[in-house]
Amino acid sequence: MKIVVLDGHTLNPGELSWKPLSELGNVDIYDRTEFNNQAILDRIVDADVVYTNKTPIDKEVIENSPNLKFIGLLATGYNIVDIEAARKNRIVVCNVPSYGSQAVGQFAIGLLLEICHHIGHHSEEVKKGRWGVVEDFCFWDYPLIELAGKTLGIIGFGRIGMSTGKIAKAMDMNVIAYDNEPNEKGKEIAEYVSLDELLRRSDVISLHCPLLKETEGIICKKNIKKMKDGVIIINNSRGSLIVEQDLADALNSGKVYAAGLDVVCEEPITASNPLLSAKNCIITPHISWAPIESRQRLLDVAVENLRSFQNGHIINCVNGLQFVLQPI
């Protein structure tokens, strides 16, 4: 069985081992592959299995890969694969649904804490010598914010949203949530409310929903108007949940006090992104998911997805091919 990894560097720049995957077949691992169908086909045209993180696998690639039986996502999201084309060609597509819930929740709160205290900024000012020359025993350049008693509204209350909510509750925040599928586990952490009520009541809004037709641009001019003046917005889910110009305008006007973002619409970020010059906007380079512990879990599950497939049992399938196969 020939296995090709199209873009392995982000998941594993060197400190993890590909050995468990190599035990399942002959493996070619590429750090990166150009987002060009011919370049992709040159590498996978005779492959039985392909793994991808962000390299797109579209209908043309699928239809011109006659040996392909299995597409493994090195991620949770699978919008880069033409799911319907894979299904029609009886190609199983599997993702890794839960590997970094705690890490991503932790990072969301980390963004919020940085906004509240600007720890990095003040540390740098101390190292520049500023503390040693001030007249008082301390100084601060931004308003410092206590979170206890404030309301965190979480849009999307799945595993990551709940992880974020648990941490917020530990800091004595009030947690409310908007989700299409309320459940008893969620009710132990948060009060479920409508989207409009969440927008109206929240001091902080954190996005943890998937990017769907109904969630794209959910943070827009219309919805920002419904928010409290001085609201804080956190997004380490998907960049396109936010209309970036609308958020930049709200930050610059002061309607939104601050934003902490780990994702943007176009990644890597472009120089023309309006959020780069917006007031009180912290942007990190899509790293919420990337602690080594999370990446190891991701790799372990991705390998197990293929091992199970080889043994005739499909797990974590996202394109409806949930049938039992003969071992291959």
Side-chain angles (χ1 to χ4, degrees):
M1 171 173 282
K2 181 173 181 180
I3 303 167
V4 175
V5 179
L6 287 173
D7 49 5
H9 182 269
T10 305
L11 169 62
N12 181 17
E15 73 273 63
L16 304 180
S17 173
W18 292 108
K19 183 179 178 182
L21 185 61
S22 68
E23 292 172 351
L24 303 181
N26 298 316
V27 183
D28 291 334
I29 299 171
Y30 299 97
D31 282 348
R32 302 168 187 86
T33 297
E34 183 181 354
F35 288 12
N36 172 285
N37 278 0
Q38 190 55 58
I40 296 166
L41 283 168
D42 286 346
R43 291 182 170 178
I44 73 168
V45 66
D46 59 346
D48 302 287
V49 173
V50 60
Y51 278 97
T52 179
N53 186 323
K54 294 293 183 290
T55 306
I57 307 293
D58 65 12
K59 181 179 179 181
E60 179 186 0
V61 170
I62 287 169
E63 292 182 345
N64 286 279
S65 302
N67 295 340
L68 195 59
K69 304 174 184 69
F70 179 96
I71 298 173
L73 275 301
L74 298 173
T76 300
Y78 48 87
N79 57 300
I80 60 164
V81 176
D82 189 324
I83 297 298
E84 181 61 20
R87 187 187 65 79
K88 288 181 178 178
N89 286 272
R90 312 300 284 175
I91 299 169
V92 171
V93 182
C94 295
N95 74 337
V96 182
S98 180
Y99 65 91
S101 300
Q102 292 176 317
V104 178
Q106 172 184 306
F107 199 94
I109 297 298
L111 288 169
L112 177 57
L113 291 173
E114 179 64 18
I115 288 168
C116 291
H117 302 290
H118 290 273
I119 293 168
H121 165 81
H122 288 105
S123 175
E124 287 303 311
E125 290 300 301
V126 169
K127 291 176 181 179
K128 290 177 184 177
R130 184 174 166 194
W131 194 16
V133 298
V134 295
E135 295 184 44
D136 304 303
F137 73 92
C138 66
F139 70 91
W140 58 89
D141 291 336
Y142 295 88
L144 305 180
I145 300 170
E146 182 179 281
L147 291 169
K150 290 184 170 57
T151 297
L152 172 64
I154 299 176
I155 299 177
F157 210 52
R159 296 182 184 94
I160 296 172
M162 289 185 192
S163 175
T164 305
K166 287 177 182 178
I167 302 171
K169 284 194 73 173
M171 297 191 298
D172 290 328
M173 295 188 77
N174 304 313
V175 182
I176 60 177
Y178 168 70
D179 194 276
N180 288 331
E181 298 181 3
N183 58 71
E184 293 304 315
K185 186 175 181 181
K187 290 178 183 178
E188 295 175 2
I189 303 168
E191 173 193 357
Y192 284 101
V193 299
S194 68
L195 178 60
D196 279 353
E197 184 174 351
L198 183 145
L199 297 173
R200 175 175 57 82
R201 288 176 53 187
S202 298
D203 299 295
V204 180
I205 294 174
S206 193
L207 303 177
H208 298 292
C209 53
L211 179 59
L212 305 170
K213 184 177 181 180
E214 58 267 31
T215 60
E216 185 173 4
I218 197 168
I219 302 301
C220 59
K221 185 176 182 180
K222 176 183 175 182
N223 283 338
I224 290 171
K225 286 182 178 179
K226 300 175 183 178
M227 300 175 190
K228 289 183 178 182
D229 292 345
V231 68
I232 295 170
I233 294 175
I234 304 295
N235 184 21
N236 61 338
S237 181
R238 292 291 182 265
S240 293
L241 298 173
I242 292 175
V243 179
E244 292 178 332
Q245 187 62 61
D246 290 356
L247 177 57
D249 292 343
L251 286 163
N252 291 330
S253 73
K255 171 66 178 180
V256 174
Y257 169 68
L261 312 173
D262 187 47
V263 289
V264 293
C265 291
E266 184 176 348
E267 297 175 349
I269 197 167
T270 62
S272 62
N273 191 304
L275 294 167
L276 285 171
S277 57
K279 295 178 181 178
N280 293 340
C281 188
I282 294 171
I283 306 174
T284 53
H286 202 148
I287 54 174
S288 297
W289 68 283
I292 188 170
E293 297 88 350
S294 296
R295 289 184 289 112
Q296 183 65 65
R297 282 193 294 271
L298 192 161
L299 182 56
D300 290 345
V301 175
V303 172
E304 184 57 34
N305 285 344
L306 178 56
R307 182 181 291 112
S308 295
F309 173 76
Q310 289 179 328
N311 292 329
H313 176 59
I314 300 173
I315 59 174
N316 299 321
C317 179
V318 297
N319 67 328
L321 297 181
Q322 301 285 30
F323 52 84
V324 177
L325 300 173
Q326 293 298 318
I328 61 172

